Each structure stands twice: as structure tokens, then as C-alpha cells.
């Protein structure tokens, strides 16, 4: 998967936005103002994704392209190398988005659900 396809995939999610709060080289995707994915724009060698702590550990043990989150809380974040199959990268991005979306205030979750239904 290339960076353009990944960016399109992330931005297709309801309420998803992109920013560069850490400088011009780091692209961040958010929902409801909370981060669900971040990556290096220039290299696109990996993506940091939020993950359920138990699942995060299992994925690290199972796949050599899943590492503890670089510069992140390693309990809740994985760094996934972009050598991972595209289907897995999409699946784990969905999981990250869903976790973050579920943590948003109910009113914001309801607004996202209403926008999705339109």
C-alpha cells in the first residue's frame, strides 16, 4: 500500500481529519480531535496505531512487522511496518479508529453515527 492509498483510506472514515501537529514530516489522522494513526510522510515505512493492550501484545508476538509503539505508550500503541499486507494494515487501522471513536463523548459519537447514516 502506498501513502496516497493509505491517506484516502483514513480520510474516508466518518469524522476523520488530517494534521501535521508534530511538524511537516509527520502526518496525523484524528477522529473527534483524538489521534488514531500517525506516520512519516517522507518514508512511509511504518504507521503508529492504537490497539487493545492484550491484542497489541499478541500481534507483536505473532508478526515481526508489528513493534511496540515508537514514541508512544507501548501498552496501547503499535508501530506497524508498511511491509505488512495491505489487508492487515487496513484491519488494524479500523481497530485503531474504532477504539478512539468509542472513547469519544456520546454526543460526538452520535453526530458521527448520524453523518454515517446520511
Amino acid at each position: 500500500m502506498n501513502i496516497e492509498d493509505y491517506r484516502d483510506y483514513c480520510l474516508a472514515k466518518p469524522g476523520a481529519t488530517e494534521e501535521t501537529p508534530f511538524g511537516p514530516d509527520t502526518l496525523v489522522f484524528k477522529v473527534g480531535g483524538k489521534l488514531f494513526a500517525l506516520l512519516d510522510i517522507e518514508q512511509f515505512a511504518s504507521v503508529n496505531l492504537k490497539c487493545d493492550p492484550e491484542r497489541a501484545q499478541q500481534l507483536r508476538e505473532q508478526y515481526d512487522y508489528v513493534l511496540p509503539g515508537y514514541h508512544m505508550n507501548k501498552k496501547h500503541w503499535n508501530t506497524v511496518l508498511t511491509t505488512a499486507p495491505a489487508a492487515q494494515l487496513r484491519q488494524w487501522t479500523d481497530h485503531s479508529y474504532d477504539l478512539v471513536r468509542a472513547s469519544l463523548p456520546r454526543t460526538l459519537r452520535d453526530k458521527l453515527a448520524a453523518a454515517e447514516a446520511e
Side-chain angles (χ1 to χ4, degrees), residues 2-76:
N2 64 43
I3 192 167
E4 291 85 10
D5 291 340
Y6 188 75
R7 179 180 177 269
D8 291 344
Y9 186 78
C10 288
L11 290 176
K13 300 192 166 306
T17 60
E18 66 180 341
E19 300 176 17
T20 54
F22 305 117
D25 296 333
T26 305
L27 184 59
V28 172
F29 294 98
K30 295 181 176 183
V31 60
K34 292 187 173 189
L35 189 146
F36 72 89
L38 84 144
L39 55 102
D40 182 302
I41 293 173
E42 295 299 318
Q43 296 179 6
F44 191 53
S46 64
V47 180
N48 281 8
L49 298 169
K50 190 160 188 145
C51 191
D52 171 76
E54 286 184 28
R55 184 176 182 191
Q57 188 60 42
Q58 290 171 347
L59 293 175
R60 291 176 204 155
E61 291 170 4
Q62 189 172 1
Y63 301 102
D64 61 350
Y65 46 82
V66 179
L67 309 167
Y70 181 70
H71 285 298
M72 305 295 280
N73 179 330
K74 289 162 182 28
K75 181 177 180 182
H76 296 279

Side-chain angles (χ1 to χ4, degrees), residues 54-113:
E54 286 184 28
R55 184 176 182 191
Q57 188 60 42
Q58 290 171 347
L59 293 175
R60 291 176 204 155
E61 291 170 4
Q62 189 172 1
Y63 301 102
D64 61 350
Y65 46 82
V66 179
L67 309 167
Y70 181 70
H71 285 298
M72 305 295 280
N73 179 330
K74 289 162 182 28
K75 181 177 180 182
H76 296 279
W77 289 86
N78 279 338
T79 295
V80 179
L81 303 180
T82 54
T83 56
Q88 282 182 323
L89 189 54
R90 285 190 295 270
Q91 177 187 13
W92 296 334
T93 299
D94 292 345
H95 177 68
S96 180
Y97 172 86
D98 292 342
L99 281 175
V100 174
R101 183 174 167 168
S103 74
L104 297 174
R106 183 171 185 89
T107 55
L108 191 48
R109 290 193 320 262
D110 290 346
K111 284 181 186 177
L112 290 172

